[in-house]
Amino acid sequence: MTADTDVRSEPLTASEQIAEFVCSFDADRLIDSHRRQCSRTFVDTFAVAVAGKYEPASLSARKLVGFQGVGPGSPVGVVHGGARLWTDGTVTGCEAAALANGIFGHVLDYDDVTTPLRGHPSVVLWPALTAIGEARDLPGDRLVPAYVVGFEVLCKLSRVMAVPHYESGWHSTASIGVIGATAACAYLLSLDRSQVVNAIGLAVAQAAGCRENVGTQAKSFQAGQAAAAAVRAALFAESEFEASVRSLDGAHGYMHLYAQDEELAQSLGELGDLPLEIERAGIEVKQYPMCYATHRTLDALLSLRKDNELALEDVCHVQVETSNSALIPLTRHRPVTGLEGKFSIEYAVAAALMDGAVRLDTFTDDAVNRPSIQRFLACVESSEAEGALSPRWARVKVTLKNGRTVSRHIEILHGSAQDPLSDDELLRKVTDCLSFGRSDMDPQSLYDQAMNMHRVTVRELLDALTTRPNVQP
């Protein structure tokens, strides 16, 4: 990306660099594989949100938006600027829809991730984009380019500051994701450069989310709030609401407060350079509905269980060693709820050994509190190696009661950008999610609609995927 140096001699601020990229991005640069990958992220995010429909956090969110709607269930609501909940078609305000759909999509911790962010991109991007796209009845062919723009921005920021930012306690899905989602919304709305700068400043004004909330309902709220904040920032900026041009890189700005004053100019100067981040960083689709930090361990352990016909009662000890900093999110060592279990390496190991799988129904409170599981938690030991953060790896050593040991080392994770799920595997996940959410939606129809979103409006896309509840006149 290059700036117009004839107009001004001083360097562009970080917000101006982002604005230059957002306003000059040419969707014709995208190739079929980019569009297909983005459409797959929508399929995955939407299905995971449906699966989360009946979680306590989702039910609370659904109850709240009922008080904020422009007419729940009413087609008039959409026409006059509302947007709908993915789970049941209820129409509410644009920000409220983004908030609720973000909560639905993140509460199971089954949504996709990307390594640079150390977090979940799609659950912040898609709820924001569909809310604005539906409210304005925008063409669906703008969705994928907007997603790519937002993903590009959040990855470039993340490459500079995400690791120390995350380690210091920030929930980067929300605290960095809100900047990327705002850039995506700005592109979708065709904001001008000045408006994009203001939108970024308004996103910074709302950036938040801490890892202390991991294992609680508030984690999903943080993701939903980031999506809603992006909608709010873009719409306010469209209405000429102003913010500092140096909100990201000023003396009292985002990089000073949220990071360590790292320099952004070089990384942001690469916005739009090939390969685009959608290809370079890629998207990692989860196989298991729990924190991604457990997944290499689970791949290793489940393959050991299958190859050696192991059972929980055969095992006396499990040692897990991972690459540096891989265990940081796994803070729940003695979980007693399903949500806590999603962030427990001990529970991941115990459940995998006992059940031979880690599924959506692994994370009920009753499943976590099975006596044999609770007794085994103390038999799991984990540690991180010193050295580089990447490549990521996990090594699992299982000691059996007969004295024999078996072990396995995993680097490339199935579902990662290096070894993505096949379409059939993704459809199996989608089928499981829709069933868990008690939806009669056809998985193949969801997939086909997403792959053809460029042929319809956003409103028509959601018409095909959601059923509006009946409303009495």
Side-chain angles (χ1 to χ4, degrees):
M1 183 189 69
T2 59
D4 185 355
T5 54
D6 294 333
V7 175
R8 52 185 281 176
S9 58
E10 68 270 21
L12 297 177
T13 68
S15 294
E16 288 172 328
Q17 286 183 282
I18 292 173
E20 184 71 21
F21 167 65
V22 170
C23 294
S24 63
F25 183 75
D26 182 1
D28 289 339
R29 299 179 60 200
L30 299 179
I31 59 178
D32 288 345
S33 62
H34 297 151
R35 297 180 184 279
R36 178 175 175 275
Q37 185 170 9
C38 292
S39 296
R40 278 169 53 103
T41 70
F42 179 79
V43 173
D44 184 61
T45 308
F46 192 96
V48 168
V50 172
K53 177 179 180 179
Y54 294 105
E55 295 299 301
S58 298
L59 295 175
S60 295
R62 173 64 182 80
K63 181 178 180 180
L64 175 65
V65 299
F67 295 105
Q68 298 183 352
V70 294
S74 168
V76 177
V78 172
V79 173
H80 288 87
R84 78 193 81 185
L85 307 189
W86 295 346
T87 53
D88 64 8
T90 293
V91 179
T92 185
C94 194
E95 293 176 27
L99 171 64
N101 289 330
I103 291 172
F104 302 156
H106 196 51
V107 68
L108 294 174
D109 218 84
Y110 207 6
D111 48 308
D112 64 31
V113 301
T114 190
T115 296
L117 178 63
R118 299 210 70 172
H120 306 253
S122 294
V123 78
V124 179
L125 291 167
W126 281 122
L129 290 172
T130 59
I132 288 180
E134 180 175 26
R136 296 295 180 85
D137 198 22
L138 297 175
D141 63 4
R142 290 190 64 79
L143 286 176
V144 164
Y147 182 99
V148 170
V149 164
F151 189 81
E152 185 83 3
V153 169
L154 70 83
C155 281
K156 295 304 187 193
L157 284 173
S158 296
R159 290 189 184 281
V160 175
M161 46 84 74
V163 171
H165 177 80
Y166 186 84
E167 290 181 354
S168 68
W170 292 100
H171 180 204
S172 53
T173 295
S175 53
I176 299 176
V178 65
I179 310 296
T182 298
C185 292
Y187 176 89
L188 188 66
L189 288 167
S190 300
L191 300 189
D192 63 30
R193 284 166 174 77
S194 177
Q195 290 171 325
V196 177
V197 167
N198 290 330
I200 296 301
L202 293 168
V204 169
Q206 304 172 83
C210 67
R211 288 198 297 110
E212 193 62 35
N213 280 325
V214 167
T216 74
Q217 294 176 5
K219 182 174 186 283
S220 61
F221 174 83
Q222 290 172 176
Q225 170 60 18
V231 170
R232 187 179 304 119
L235 293 178
F236 266 69
E238 184 186 43
S239 297
E240 306 301 339
F241 208 96
E242 296 180 347
S244 171
V245 71
R246 297 190 177 277
S247 61
L248 284 173
D249 53 358
H252 305 292
Y254 181 85
M255 293 303 292
H256 179 70
L257 296 172
Y258 292 70
Q260 299 174 358
D261 283 314
E262 295 95 337
E263 174 59 51
L264 288 174
Q266 180 176 344
S267 185
L268 295 183
E270 296 170 357
L271 282 165
D273 287 357
L274 296 178
L276 294 171
E277 290 288 357
I278 194 66
E279 183 177 346
R280 179 186 177 193
I283 304 288
E284 308 188 39
V285 176
K286 287 189 173 186
Q287 298 180 81
Y288 313 112
M290 68 182 306
C291 181
Y292 202 57
T294 65
H295 284 214
R296 285 180 175 80
T297 295
L298 287 171
D299 267 8
L301 188 63
L302 288 169
S303 64
L304 283 172
R305 186 185 188 278
K306 179 180 179 181
D307 293 347
N308 295 277
E309 299 182 344
L310 302 179
L312 184 70
E313 56 268 23
D314 301 326
V315 178
C316 66
H317 184 262
V318 177
Q319 171 66 49
V320 176
E321 185 182 18
T322 71
S323 50
N324 192 6
S325 299
L327 299 174
I328 286 177
L330 304 177
T331 58
R332 304 293 176 163
H333 302 294
R334 296 295 182 268
V336 294
T337 69
L339 265 179
E340 291 177 349
K342 290 177 177 288
F343 301 92
S344 171
I345 190 68
E346 294 84 0
Y347 181 63
V349 168
L353 283 173
M354 184 167 188
D355 302 329
V358 175
R359 302 175 293 255
L360 286 162
D361 58 9
T362 301
F363 298 97
T364 65
D365 293 353
D366 287 344
V368 172
N369 285 293
R370 287 174 285 179
S372 56
I373 291 284
Q374 287 292 321
R375 286 193 298 269
F376 193 80
L377 297 179
C379 301
V380 181
E381 182 182 353
S382 60
S383 62
E384 297 174 346
E386 296 181 356
L389 276 66
S390 59
R392 293 288 191 192
W393 55 267
R395 183 179 298 112
V396 177
K397 178 181 178 182
V398 179
T399 302
L400 306 179
K401 291 178 179 177
N402 64 11
R404 188 165 69 97
T405 63
V406 292
S407 63
R408 188 145 298 169
H409 180 94
I410 294 286
E411 285 191 19
I412 302 298
L413 181 60
H414 192 46
S416 67
Q418 295 76 28
D419 184 20
L421 299 185
S422 68
D423 285 349
D424 286 344
E425 289 172 322
L426 178 59
L427 276 172
R428 284 197 291 273
K429 175 181 176 179
V430 168
T431 300
D432 189 38
C433 285
L434 297 180
S435 175
F436 192 80
R438 306 173 211 167
S439 171
D440 60 2
M441 186 186 306
D442 176 51
Q444 186 64 56
S445 177
L446 169 57
Y447 185 90
D448 292 342
Q449 293 291 341
M451 290 297 161
N452 289 284
M453 65 173 67
H454 60 288
R455 302 180 187 276
V456 296
T457 67
V458 180
R459 193 174 294 168
E460 289 169 338
L461 171 67
L462 294 175
D463 279 341
L465 297 179
T466 59
T467 302
R468 230 180 246 111
N470 293 324
V471 176
Q472 297 299 320

